[in-house]
Amino acid sequence: MIGQGASKTTLREERQRLALYRQYLPSLELKRRQFLWELNRARAAEAELAAALAALRQQASDWLACLGGCRQDLRGLVRVAGVELEEESVLGLRLPRLASVEVARADYPFLVLPLWVDALADYLARAAELEVARQVAGRRTSLLAAGLRQITQRVNLFEQVLIPSAQAAIRRITIFLGDAERSAVVRGKQAKAKAGRGRRSWPSSP
């Protein structure tokens, strides 16, 4: 509500605030578009890794079928022994980046097991590397999606709350000051008319 404290000073302050909001909004919108571009790129990278992993598993299906006739326990044939991650700054976010994956193979007797076991180990090692890369890509996607949501909320705050509120305040103050000015003019005219009537009614000296 606009009260008696409204003045040209408060009107000027609201206009300055509105100008600041309008000046800041384009940079927020630009950052939102940058987040969207980075997120789409991260999603594409994650999808590419997932597709490569699915294709590799499909290629290895024939080898995995051979396990049915193998009496050897091949559990733990391949395992991820270590993962090295780096961090990079993207639009103010610290995103993980896969530096290297160390895959360890279990010791097994080459001369005892079928030849396809070694080929299977190669497939599993590559699959393990791809799975780690996919998980890291998924983490990047999640962080970028969260960043996009945050910057979108800020854009919406400016577009839907701050700027409209400042505009409404300016309208209310302008109307209030206009009404106050008109009232002052009316009061001034009334006072002047009253003063004129008082002079005409004053008795003249003998």
Side-chain angles (χ1 to χ4, degrees):
M1 296 295 293
I2 302 300
Q4 296 297 324
S7 64
K8 292 182 179 180
T9 299
T10 57
L11 179 60
R12 183 174 62 253
E13 291 173 351
E14 286 294 339
R15 285 174 173 169
Q16 290 174 346
R17 190 174 293 112
L18 177 60
L20 183 62
Y21 293 157
R22 286 174 169 168
Q23 180 181 0
Y24 192 46
L25 180 59
S27 63
L28 286 177
E29 179 59 32
L30 174 61
K31 192 171 184 180
R32 190 191 70 82
R33 290 196 296 267
Q34 290 172 335
F35 261 107
L36 182 59
W37 186 84
E38 289 289 350
L39 177 58
N40 289 336
R41 190 172 70 156
R43 284 173 173 166
E46 183 182 2
E48 183 178 351
L49 288 168
L53 183 59
L56 184 63
R57 286 171 175 169
Q58 181 63 38
Q59 294 172 8
S61 60
D62 293 339
W63 298 107
L64 294 174
C66 296
L67 290 175
C70 180
R71 297 181 179 179
Q72 298 290 335
D73 184 6
L74 298 180
R75 289 177 299 178
L77 183 64
V78 170
R79 64 181 179 86
V80 176
V83 175
E84 182 180 354
L85 297 178
E86 297 175 347
E87 279 192 346
E88 63 176 336
S89 178
V90 177
L91 298 173
L93 296 180
R94 304 297 297 178
L95 301 182
R97 180 174 58 190
L98 183 61
S100 63
V101 180
E102 181 183 355
V103 178
R105 300 190 183 194
D107 294 330
Y108 53 87
F110 291 95
L111 298 180
V112 175
L113 294 179
L115 293 177
W116 55 260
V117 173
D118 196 35
L120 174 61
D122 290 339
Y123 277 113
L124 293 178
R126 179 56 182 158
E129 293 172 353
L130 285 174
E131 176 60 24
V132 171
R134 187 194 65 78
Q135 292 179 7
V136 174
R139 179 59 179 164
R140 290 174 65 92
T141 299
S142 297
L143 291 173
L144 284 168
L148 177 61
R149 286 193 298 271
Q150 185 178 33
I151 195 67
T152 299
Q153 289 172 353
R154 296 183 68 187
V155 170
N156 291 339
L157 175 65
F158 274 75
E159 288 183 337
Q160 301 175 15
V161 179
L162 296 180
I163 290 178
S165 296
Q167 291 173 330
I170 289 171
R171 286 194 298 269
R172 290 194 299 268
I173 295 173
T174 301
I175 292 173
F176 176 84
L177 293 178
D179 290 344
E181 184 176 353
R182 284 190 293 271
S183 297
V185 171
V186 170
R187 288 194 301 271
K189 290 181 178 180
Q190 291 174 344
K192 185 176 180 181
K194 185 177 181 180
R197 290 195 300 270
R199 287 195 297 269
R200 289 195 299 271
S201 62
W202 190 261
S204 57
S205 300

